[in-house]
Amino acid sequence: MKKYLKNLIDEKGIDTNLAFKVKGETGINLIPIGVVIEHILLAPIKEKRAIKDWLVKIDFVNGNVLDYFKHLAQAIAK
């Protein structure tokens, strides 16, 4: 998964320091993509597979993977 994420980030030219503004229980949180990736890598294998499946589907249709990363950042903030 680590290699896949690195390749995806490199291919899309995404800056891992880019931070999403997401609402959490204590207010607005700034969560960088790098933190989202760290959480993905710490997730159980079943969740990693599901995340990778979604990223592959989004990439296949030339969707914006940043939207999915923001969705994951929102889950981290809660």
Side-chain angles (χ1 to χ4, degrees):
M1 183 67 159
K2 188 174 185 177
K3 184 177 178 180
Y4 169 76
L5 288 171
K6 182 183 179 340
N7 288 339
L8 180 68
I9 296 297
D10 289 347
E11 174 187 306
K12 300 291 181 186
I14 297 171
D15 179 3
T16 57
N17 293 316
L18 174 70
F20 299 113
K21 284 184 182 180
V22 292
K23 188 172 182 178
E25 293 179 15
T26 59
I28 299 296
N29 295 274
L30 293 176
I31 301 180
I33 292 175
V35 171
V36 175
I37 291 170
E38 288 175 17
H39 276 77
I40 292 170
L41 295 175
L42 294 172
I45 191 74
K46 186 176 180 180
E47 289 180 28
K48 286 180 189 174
R49 286 184 187 138
I51 291 168
K52 183 176 179 181
D53 286 347
W54 273 109
L55 287 169
V56 168
K57 288 175 187 176
I58 293 166
D59 190 32
F60 182 75
V61 296
N62 293 320
N64 188 347
V65 295
L66 290 177
D67 292 337
Y68 187 63
F69 284 130
K70 183 174 184 177
H71 168 73
L72 295 174
Q74 182 66 56
I76 292 168
K78 290 188 176 190

